[in-house]
Amino acid sequence: MNPHAKLITLSSLILGTTITITSNHWAMAWAGLEINTIAIIPMISKSHHPRAIEATIKYFLVQAAASASILFSSMINAWTSGQWDITQLTNTTSCLLLTTAIAMKLGLTPFHFWFPEVLQGSSLTTALLLSTVMKFPPIVILLLTSNSLNPSLLTLMAIMSTALGGWMGLNQTQIRKILAFSSISHLGWMTIIIIYAPKLTLLTFLLYTLLTSAIFLSFNTSNTTKLSTLMSSWTKTPMLNTTLMLTLLSLAGLPPFIGFLPKWLIVQELTKQEMTPAALTIALLSLLSLFFYLRLTYFTSITLPPNSTNQTKHWYINKNTSPPIAILTSLSTLLLPLSPLILSAI
């Protein structure tokens, strides 16, 4: 991509995200979401591959429909209450329409179909932006309107997302699709607690962003997009594969890694809210996700592929790991002892 175009695109992403998360007016929040959508489209389609163009069209259609629904929801609310303030969402129809629109933007079940396909058609760095930065503004809108939303609907969508994210990720061989279903599963954890503990949702998203960034950047460094490539990557970058293995276990939510903290706190909060069946269900469904995380970890730890592969070998091996990856993987694996400081901050 042209450096000037890249600068404009990244600046627009930052601008759109900032406008949405700092606005109290529905029109400004909608404008920020539109700027974000327009900014990410050139990054998805920059390879000019048919799969990338298909992913771009799918992304544009879904996001345009979701943005129109958000605008329509805010207009219905303004028509009945005279309020354009985001926190003053009082109309029942507006609440249901907004929940549907935000679920479309995030990729929550049952509006998840576009997300794995779009990630599969994007590069690893663009997939990282779609999984983290592009999810932040819709989550902030959910946080601002959490007092007005329907708890039963959000709980149902959250449990469905956790179940589908774990179930659909079991038979995948493409790394980007596995991480897409991982994102859907984690969004279920964030959504189920958003009404009862909004700060806990924000903490879960920040830790998920940290872990996912480390994983995507590690895969990007080793140029790994399939499980068959992952099996032979140990000989190229053994140290990076070791830290990647630990980061995957952290994303799976296993102690003593930092990924265990948000799941533990969410289950604890749900139990306090007398939602023990929901807490038990979502904890058991996370075992599905744990299975494919362990499968990824197993493939990462294989020093030699178990059978002959038809893939081309890399004649040049880049062993220079960038400092951000080292910092992110270190935080992903060693941050749990600092959890009292994190909890005191929220």
Side-chain angles (χ1 to χ4, degrees):
M1 184 183 284
N2 187 293
H4 298 293
K6 199 175 203 177
L7 177 63
I8 293 172
T9 302
L10 292 176
S11 302
S12 300
L13 271 178
I14 296 171
L15 176 65
T17 303
T18 306
I19 289 174
T20 302
I21 66 177
T22 56
S23 60
N24 287 323
H25 198 280
W26 276 113
M28 290 297 292
W30 172 81
L33 291 172
E34 288 298 297
I35 291 172
N36 262 3
T37 302
I38 295 170
I40 199 69
I41 281 175
M43 301 188 72
I44 302 174
S45 61
K46 65 183 177 182
S47 66
H48 302 294
H49 191 275
R51 186 179 287 275
I53 303 301
E54 179 190 348
T56 305
I57 294 172
K58 286 180 179 178
Y59 183 78
F60 174 74
L61 291 176
V62 171
Q63 297 299 313
S67 295
S69 300
I70 289 174
L71 194 59
F72 189 46
S73 168
S74 61
M75 289 174 66
I76 292 175
N77 186 68
W79 184 271
T80 55
S81 66
Q83 290 285 340
W84 283 94
D85 196 329
I86 292 180
T87 57
Q88 303 297 322
L89 195 66
T90 54
N91 187 273
T92 307
T93 307
S94 297
C95 293
L96 292 175
L97 194 56
L98 177 72
T99 306
T100 304
I102 296 297
M104 288 176 67
K105 278 200 165 288
L106 290 174
L108 278 171
T109 307
F111 308 101
H112 64 280
F113 300 100
W114 63 273
F115 189 57
E117 299 297 327
V118 171
L119 246 66
Q120 182 60 29
S122 310
S123 64
L124 283 167
T125 49
T126 308
L128 171 60
L129 291 175
L130 288 169
S131 301
T132 54
V133 176
M134 299 302 293
K135 298 290 180 73
F136 190 45
I139 285 178
V140 170
I141 292 178
L142 268 187
L143 286 170
L144 292 173
T145 58
S146 58
N147 293 328
S148 309
L149 300 179
N150 187 342
S152 302
L153 178 61
L154 284 179
T155 303
L156 177 63
M157 293 173 72
I159 292 175
M160 287 171 58
S161 297
T162 310
L164 184 130
W167 191 260
M168 295 295 289
L170 292 177
N171 62 342
Q172 300 297 329
T173 57
Q174 298 287 335
I175 298 290
R176 282 166 291 189
K177 281 196 174 182
I178 290 175
L179 292 175
F181 288 115
S182 163
S183 177
I184 293 171
S185 178
H186 277 86
L187 281 171
W189 282 88
M190 298 176 210
T191 308
I192 199 169
I193 202 64
I194 196 166
I195 293 178
Y196 311 105
K199 289 183 179 180
L200 190 51
T201 298
L202 193 58
L203 172 67
T204 307
F205 178 75
L206 293 176
L207 291 178
Y208 167 75
T209 302
L210 169 69
L211 298 171
T212 308
S213 301
I215 289 171
F216 268 111
L217 292 176
S218 299
F219 284 135
N220 189 48
T221 301
S222 60
N223 197 19
T224 303
T225 56
K226 296 180 292 186
L227 288 182
S228 58
T229 316
L230 185 60
M231 284 189 293
S232 59
S233 62
W234 181 278
T235 53
K236 294 189 292 182
T237 51
M239 194 63 200
L240 183 64
N241 267 37
T242 305
T243 55
L244 175 62
M245 182 171 57
L246 297 176
T247 310
L248 285 168
L249 292 175
S250 182
L251 189 63
L254 289 179
F257 303 112
I258 190 62
F260 171 68
L261 177 66
K263 293 186 176 182
W264 170 37
L265 294 176
I266 288 172
V267 170
Q268 186 180 28
E269 184 63 31
L270 287 174
T271 308
K272 287 180 182 177
Q273 298 292 335
E274 298 183 355
M275 294 178 63
T276 307
L280 179 63
T281 304
I282 202 170
L284 290 175
L285 288 174
S286 67
L287 295 176
L288 294 171
S289 304
L290 177 62
F291 178 81
F292 66 75
Y293 289 127
L294 290 176
R295 189 169 66 137
L296 274 175
T297 307
Y298 172 70
F299 281 124
T300 307
S301 61
I302 290 179
T303 54
L304 290 174
N307 49 21
S308 60
T309 58
N310 296 323
Q311 65 187 19
T312 56
K313 298 297 182 183
H314 297 278
W315 67 273
Y316 173 71
I317 301 172
N318 183 15
K319 294 185 178 180
N320 296 323
T321 305
S322 61
I325 298 179
I327 295 171
L328 288 172
T329 51
S330 300
L331 290 175
S332 302
T333 53
L334 303 174
L335 203 58
L336 190 62
L338 299 178
S339 56
L341 295 178
I342 299 173
L343 295 177
S344 63
I346 66 169

